[in-house]
């Protein structure tokens, strides 16, 4: 439960596969604030064949970033909704300096908590090539370390599990390159503002969650 300092804006930074989505889902339950993943929102647009979905798909399939203006419009529309009044967890956004600057202007005096989930490239590739994700609720599974109870079926909602189109090794390498070039500079951006906390994500997900919660005075 949130006990003070509204709203709690938590930004999860980190390369693809560092566990942002997994942690965000667990933090969402503890802190009772919504998990907003721009990747999930974009995939929903693709499933619904919206204009945004059609435009975004080409970039996503190649492991490239969707243009800032499209992502920012979608993000600001989402965080203006009522369920975000007490705060929210951002997963996968901001991903470029212009996105970080636009978000900070939107937030005004609200100071976000930024947590950088750190993981080596070797571990990222091992995680992502063995990841399957629920097509319905987005819950991720690792085929070796956290497999579903029934193969191909989501434990949480019974949805169908599939490998994401961008979780093949070639696209993962491209996404990591894009991360290094465009997203890693955000680490210095937030460190300069004294907003950054870094956590080693090579340990198990429960230990990572404990460390994150110890940074958040708001959640009991
Ligand atoms: P994710 O689910 O966070 O790994 O995102 C999957 C893909 O969606 C990325 O590789 C990008 O193509 C696109 N995407 C998600 N979030 C953003 C963002 N903040 N800015 C630009 N592209 C994004």
């Amino acid at each position: 439960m949130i006990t003070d300092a509204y709203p709690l804006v938590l930004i999860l930074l980190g390369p693809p596969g560092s566990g942002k989505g997994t942690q965000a889902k667990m933090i969402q339950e503890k802190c009772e604030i919504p998990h907003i993943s721009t990747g999930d929102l974009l995939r929903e647009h693709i499933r619904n064949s919206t204009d945004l979905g059609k435009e975004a798909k080409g970039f996503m399939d190649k492991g490239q970033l969707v243009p800032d203006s499209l992502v920012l419009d979608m993000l600001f529309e989402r965080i203006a909704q009522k369920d975000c009044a007490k705060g929210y967890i951002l997963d996968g956004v901001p991903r470029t300096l212009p996105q970080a600057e636009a978000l900070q202007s939107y937030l005004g005096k609200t100071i976000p908590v930024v947590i950088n989930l750190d993981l080596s490239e070797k571990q990222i590739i091992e995680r992502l090539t063995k990841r399957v994700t629920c097509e319905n609720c987005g819950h991720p599974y690792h085929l070796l370390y956290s497999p579903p109870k029934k193969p191909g079926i989501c434990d949480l909602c019974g949805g169908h599990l599939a490998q994401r189109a961008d979780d093949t090794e070639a696209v993962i390498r491209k996404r990591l390159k894009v991360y290094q070039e465009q997203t890693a500079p955000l680490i210095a951006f937030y460190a300069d503002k004294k907003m950054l906390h870094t956590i080693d994500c090579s340990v198990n997900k429960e230990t990572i969650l404990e460390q994150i919660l110890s940074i958040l005075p708001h959640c009991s």
Side-chain angles (χ1 to χ4, degrees), residues 10-216:
L10 175 62
I11 297 174
L12 296 180
L13 276 186
S18 56
K20 299 186 295 293
T22 302
Q23 291 301 324
K25 283 182 174 46
M26 295 193 290
I27 301 165
Q28 167 175 258
E29 274 186 24
K30 287 270 176 198
C31 301
E32 297 174 4
I33 52 174
H35 162 207
I36 298 173
S37 152
T38 41
D40 285 350
L41 292 175
L42 289 166
R43 282 184 287 276
E44 198 180 322
H45 276 278
I46 292 175
R47 275 198 300 278
N48 295 333
S49 295
T50 65
D51 288 345
L52 171 56
K54 286 178 197 153
E55 200 166 344
K57 188 173 185 324
F59 295 100
M60 292 171 75
D61 285 350
K62 285 189 239 140
Q64 294 168 354
L65 294 185
V66 174
D68 289 337
S69 58
L70 298 181
V71 171
L72 287 169
D73 286 350
M74 181 183 75
L75 174 70
F76 293 148
E77 192 187 315
R78 177 65 189 89
I79 60 185
Q81 287 171 21
K82 232 178 172 178
D83 63 328
C84 292
K86 288 184 179 171
Y88 41 88
I89 306 157
L90 295 181
D91 157 12
V93 68
R95 242 173 164 110
T96 63
L97 279 173
Q99 288 182 19
E101 281 157 0
L103 176 65
Q104 200 48 53
S105 306
Y106 179 95
L107 292 176
K109 291 206 170 79
T110 301
I111 298 175
V113 177
V114 185
I115 300 186
N116 177 33
L117 303 180
D118 194 31
L119 193 69
S120 75
E121 187 162 325
K122 187 168 169 266
Q123 284 173 305
I124 290 167
I125 291 175
E126 192 195 284
R127 280 191 190 182
L128 291 185
T129 50
K130 298 263 183 317
R131 175 166 79 174
V132 288
T133 308
C134 175
E135 289 180 332
N136 181 47
C137 73
H139 191 78
Y141 295 84
H142 188 282
L143 291 176
L144 296 180
Y145 306 135
S146 57
K149 291 191 184 102
K150 281 192 203 154
I153 308 284
C154 179
D155 294 350
L156 303 184
C157 74
H160 176 249
L161 303 181
Q163 189 180 47
R164 274 174 40 178
D166 58 353
D167 274 349
T168 58
E169 188 159 343
V171 182
I172 292 165
R173 288 198 186 278
K174 170 71 184 162
R175 287 161 64 203
L176 285 174
K177 190 163 176 278
V178 168
Y179 171 80
Q180 285 307 334
E181 288 169 1
Q182 302 195 53
T183 309
L186 300 189
I187 295 172
F189 174 87
Y190 286 115
D192 284 351
K193 296 186 184 313
K194 309 271 180 278
M195 294 173 182
L196 189 81
H197 305 262
T198 292
I199 290 183
D200 167 20
C201 289
S202 60
V203 294
N204 66 50
K205 62 183 180 192
E206 290 77 18
T207 308
I208 299 168
L209 178 65
E210 252 173 54
Q211 291 182 40
I212 294 176
L213 293 177
S214 74
I215 296 168
L216 303 177

